[in-house]
Amino acid sequence: MALFPAFAGAAQPGEPSAGSSEGSSRDLDWLSNPSFSAEDALLLHQRSTEVANLIPEKSPLIRTSSRSELSEESDTDESLKQTSKKRKKKKHHISKKKKKKTKGDSSSSESEVDTKHIKDRGSGKSSEKEAAANLGKKASGVTSSHSIWLDDIQEPRADTFCIDKKPDPANWAYKSLYRGDIARYKRKGDSCLGIDAKKQCITWDSSASKRKQAQSRPERYFTKNNVKMLNTDGILVCNKSSPSDPPAFIPVSQVETDDSSDTTEVNPLGIYDPSTTVWLQGKGCKSADSESVNTQQAVQEPGLNMNSVLMTKVEEYNKKVRENPRDINAWMEFIAFQDELMRGPSPYASTGEQELKRKSLKLILEKKLAILERAIESNPSNVDLKLARLKLCTEFWEPPAVIKEWQKLIFLHPNNPEMWKKYLLFCQSQFTTFSVSKINSLYGKCLTTLAAVQDGSMVSHPLLPGTEEAMLAIFIQQCHFLRQAGHSEKAVSLFQALIDFTFFKPDSVKDLPTRGQVEFFEPFWDSGEPRIGEKGARGWKAWMHQQEKGGWVVLKPDDEDEEDIDEDQEIKDKTLPKWHIWLDIEHSREARHWLPWRPDKTKKETEEDCEDPERQVLFDDLGPSLIRLSNPKLQHQLLYSFLQFLGVPCTSKLFPSSLYIAMDENNIFDNVLYDDKPLTSVDFPLSGFNSIGHMDTMPRGRHQIGHYREGEEFIQNVFQVLSQIFTGKEKSNLAICWLQYEISKVIQCLQAKKKKKLKAQGRKSKKLAKNFLKAPDNRNNLSLWRLYAYLEWLLGNTDDSRKVFDTALGTAGTGGLKSAQLCSLSLLYAQLEVELLESLEGAVTSRAVHVLTKLTENGPFVPYSGQVSPVNVLKARKTYEHALQDYLSQAADSDQGQANDTDQLVNLVGCYALFQYLTVGIDAAVLIYTQASEKLEVSGSQKCENTGENFGILNFPTALEAVTLLHTNLLRFHMKISVYPLNPLREALAGALKRYPSNQSLWRSYIHIQRKSHCASKARRFFDSVTRSTNSLEPWLFAIQAEQMRKKLTEKVQRAEVGEIHCTIPETGLTNRIVALFEHAVQSENGTHCPLLWRMYLNFMASLGKKEKSKGLFYKALQNCPWAKVLYMDAVEYFPEDLQETLDLMTEKELRVRVPMEELDLLLEI
């Protein structure tokens, strides 16, 4: 009997009954309900099943049977089992149902309809066609949205597909789909799949073996394994016991076989390797295991060798510092070795740990710091180790903490001037704690402390050698610091005070200590007495004597027409932008108001009458910086430094410690008369520095020649006062400096092509030169005659210049080649005459040959009248040859006495080479320069080894440098007038620059000859080699300038409006190369705090139009050079919208702002 008798007659058509008879169905008629519809009940059941399937469940659904288990003979039961087994195999279906048999009594009277219902429920889902045929239209509408099992379809169609509606929660937990769910094909083209089989294109992924082959590509040089291999030491090609001279070739070892008779049979041509030969003989080879082991060892050998080498070095360093802990160099080498050690894997790590990522910078710094602390424990009084520790601490400590450590170190070593220099530079370059007053007081504290050590009043610390020279270097650095910060009045006052304090000191106070002398000097400074450079200045000593007698009688000065500057006329055009007007007024006041303001007592002025209080300088600002200089050479160095500060070209140079810090002007690339006159091109000794009163932005450039009237009078008064102090040679040197200053202004007028200014300046300069030569002491001074003749030549008066030269040579006497001044005069005369030649065809008959020939004769000079006879030419050549050999031999044998004759040697080589060039040719002249350079180089190196402290050693490199300059200038001139290969000049310059990487004249020549070269790779390699071998900043600056010149040339060719242009000089990433050069330069030791380098970098980035990057670079530059006012002025021009912000920043850091924004607004309103 069925469980639900009402459904007994609900069998589907065409399905046989399950073993029941007609009698049994007739007996069940009393249970049937005529109003009940079997189709409606089935429809309700299917709806409930559909809702249950839509509910997601973690566990598979368990289907219970609606009747008892059938007998084993039932075919329907067997079909149900087979269907359930097939369902278990389908893992891709969303509803995985298991068949569960219920325990109950089986009935043989089950109808055919019951069996069909069980099949439908067992399948779970029916197709659309079967539902329509068996259940009617209602059932077909409901079941049309369901899918069926693929195996249930008797005739599968081509468009059959599967639908998976169950969401995968793993997609929320992971960032991508499971790789098994991603299609293995890739589409090509834009056509839709399934529309047009001809257009669609699909590529299937390669197999796993192909993917592995693609992944195993040859590794590049920068991969980890190859970097390890590059770090390993190379294989020695010769024994260490072999002689030091390397062999001409590397010998190749020949491998001899053991059994030649056997190998000839199987290897008749000798082309098989030993392993193949053994295999052909049938003897077998080494086991695969041993071969694999050997191969593995060979692969791992570079890493093992590297680790063993590093371990050996570590053991050696540890042993060295353990056995000799006082060896400072060993500690420093051990610290530097940490960089090499950290580049590779750790030698202490296991094989698996060696593949870790590179060590961080902080780990290296901490390890170095630990080694330094060990070194300081063993050497507590060593300063170098402590400075190295502070340099490391700067990397990861805050600035206040580092400053406290510096203060502790200065407290322990107050007598060490080198430590003071580093401390001052550190505090000066800290943007967060920087202010001008703070740094200026720190300079005063430094000089006061060192002065106390010098006097002996600080008994706890002894005086170190070189302290006095270091004090002068710190003082000059302080003056340049104030100039760069805009406080030019304080800088000038410092020089005025120290010159008065040094050269006009009363005899009564000379025995007092420095602080006692300063106390006596203060009343003189505050008395209103004229100081150095002011009209009527007499000095401190004369004022003290007169004060003892009752004081000066004040005379009323003559009324003079003064150049009054109307402040209202400072704004020439009010229509210009506000930032432009501010820059114009700021530059104008910098040029006019660099002298300290003092009240004029004749006009009854007081200190309250000063419109700008910053122009007044109090004694408290400069009193602590006054020092005592007892060495005459340092006293002269002070004078020439002051003249250079004012813009006067001198032979003096800045101290190396403050050289690049003070460099802030890009005039080091200016070629003065370079192309027109290669032999006599002018090189200013101190280029790269803004003289006082010339501060402007880099795009605007310098346009003021000399100073305004007040400044020129100040310089004249300085020369007049100093000329009264000295006599003899020093007084003559001052006159030469003064005349050189006037000639420099003439050259600037020639460059600017200002004819009216040139005419006025020429009259003034000639008048000064004639006044010098009228003095009895200067009538026989050939140096002044030489400058006067050169001045006439520059002004275009060639005949007058020749008369001056002939007069000077006639009055010089019969000194000949033994007179340095006479050789110098003749050399300049001959060079100027040679520059007039257009070719070498008539060179033998030129006036230059006559001058150089007469120099070798000890008789009086005769003016040029015609061609020199060949006999005199031969005699002159022999005389030059013997004189040069004598001087070179004396230079090799002498020590200190011959050091003063280096100028004579240079002039002699120049005259001889020029003589050979005019009479024989360029090859003969080059031979002279080569012989002299080789001799000087050998002599200088020998003397450096024997007597390193000798004074003459400092002059031999100078002589060699000057000879190289003459050599290169002659080659440049010859290439100008005739055809000559470039390689000799390039090689000469390259050799000289490797010896003298700081020579700006040589670098200018080098980039000049390379600027039109198509191939820049050779020059780039040379720049790279020089920058790696020296700490000088000039190679970086000129390398950048060379690339910028090349970029401008490329842009000029590409932008020329002459139609179609095929550029032969491609850009090839010049912009990125220049940026990379800048980045490397500013990271160097000398480039980090160089304002000129940062200005060039900022100007280049602004020229590219990258405003945001330029602004970030500006703030980065302030982090390293916060004292440079020119950086702020450049920023005003590059970022005009941030004018107020820039001025506020300058005011916060106490930089000099001569035109506040409030005053500018008032001037614009008028």
Side-chain angles (χ1 to χ4, degrees), residues 68-328:
S68 60
E69 192 175 3
L70 301 179
S71 60
E72 295 180 358
E73 293 86 1
S74 175
D75 297 335
T76 306
D77 191 20
E78 293 177 358
S79 63
L80 287 175
K81 291 182 180 179
Q82 293 175 1
T83 305
S84 63
K85 290 180 181 178
K86 290 179 181 180
R87 265 182 282 146
K88 291 180 181 178
K89 294 180 181 180
K90 301 299 179 180
K91 297 182 180 180
H92 64 275
H93 200 279
I94 189 170
S95 58
K96 298 179 181 180
K97 301 183 179 180
K98 295 182 180 180
K99 182 181 178 182
K100 184 177 180 182
K101 297 181 180 181
T102 57
K103 296 181 180 181
D105 298 334
S106 61
S107 174
S108 61
S109 63
E110 186 174 359
S111 65
E112 182 180 357
V113 181
D114 295 334
T115 307
K116 292 297 180 182
H117 284 299
I118 294 173
K119 268 192 178 180
D120 291 336
R121 289 194 296 270
S123 62
K125 297 178 183 179
S126 60
S127 64
E128 188 175 323
K129 293 181 180 180
E130 292 176 346
N134 300 328
L135 301 178
K137 295 180 180 180
K138 295 181 180 181
S140 64
V142 177
T143 59
S144 61
S145 61
H146 294 277
S147 59
I148 63 174
W149 294 103
L150 189 62
D151 296 335
D152 293 344
I153 302 177
Q154 297 178 359
E155 296 179 359
R157 299 176 58 181
D159 56 353
T160 306
F161 60 92
C162 300
I163 298 177
D164 187 3
K165 293 184 177 182
K166 184 177 180 181
D168 189 2
N171 293 336
W172 295 95
Y174 302 100
K175 296 182 180 180
S176 62
L177 295 175
Y178 174 58
R179 58 183 177 83
D181 296 337
I182 300 176
R184 290 177 53 199
Y185 62 86
K186 294 182 181 179
R187 293 180 52 196
K188 289 186 178 180
D190 298 332
S191 63
C192 296
L193 290 177
I195 296 180
D196 190 354
K198 296 181 179 180
K199 293 183 178 181
Q200 67 186 17
C201 183
I202 296 176
T203 59
W204 293 90
D205 287 348
S206 58
S207 59
S209 60
K210 293 183 179 180
R211 285 199 301 268
K212 290 181 179 178
Q213 292 178 1
Q215 291 176 0
S216 60
R217 294 176 180 176
E219 294 182 345
R220 298 295 303 276
Y221 65 93
F222 48 77
T223 57
K224 186 181 295 184
N225 294 331
N226 288 335
V227 168
K228 290 181 181 179
M229 187 167 57
L230 290 175
N231 290 333
T232 58
D233 295 334
I235 302 174
L236 295 175
V237 297
C238 59
N239 297 329
K240 295 183 179 180
S241 59
S242 62
S244 58
D245 297 334
F249 61 91
I250 300 176
V252 180
S253 59
Q254 297 181 358
V255 180
E256 298 181 358
T257 57
D258 296 337
D259 192 358
S260 59
S261 60
D262 295 337
T263 55
T264 53
E265 297 177 0
V266 297
N267 188 15
L269 299 178
I271 59 175
Y272 298 142
D273 58 352
S275 60
T276 306
T277 305
V278 172
W279 181 81
L280 289 174
Q281 292 175 356
K283 296 181 179 180
C285 59
K286 296 181 180 180
S287 62
D289 297 337
S290 60
E291 186 176 356
S292 62
V293 169
N294 294 334
T295 306
Q296 185 177 2
Q297 289 180 355
V299 172
Q300 295 179 355
E301 188 174 358
L304 296 176
N305 290 339
M306 182 180 65
N307 288 341
S308 61
V309 171
L310 292 178
M311 286 289 293
T312 305
K313 288 184 178 180
V314 171
E315 292 175 0
E316 290 177 357
Y317 280 119
N318 282 322
K319 182 179 179 182
K320 189 183 297 185
V321 298
R322 183 173 61 252
E323 293 177 353
N324 190 7
R326 301 291 182 182
D327 190 358
I328 307 301

Side-chain angles (χ1 to χ4, degrees), residues 122 130 174 214 222 355 424 432 439 554 573 634 636 647 706 722 731 855 860 879 907 910 971 997 1004 1036:
E130 292 176 346
Y174 302 100
F222 48 77
E355 300 300 329
L424 289 170
T432 55
I439 302 300
V554 180
D573 189 1
L634 295 180
H636 297 156
L722 295 179
K731 186 175 182 179
L855 179 63
T879 306
N907 293 325
L971 287 176
R1004 278 191 287 267
W1036 288 110

Side-chain angles (χ1 to χ4, degrees), residues 483 587 590-591 594 646-647 664-665 689-696 702-708 741 748 1126:
R483 172 188 64 81
H587 170 70
E590 280 282 352
W594 53 270
L646 299 175
D664 53 1
E665 181 62 31
F689 305 90
N690 269 325
S691 58
I692 197 75
H694 296 88
M695 182 181 292
D696 207 345
R702 178 175 179 175
H703 50 80
Q704 176 66 28
I705 299 175
H707 297 280
Y708 287 97
Y741 174 60
Q748 291 178 18
V1126 285

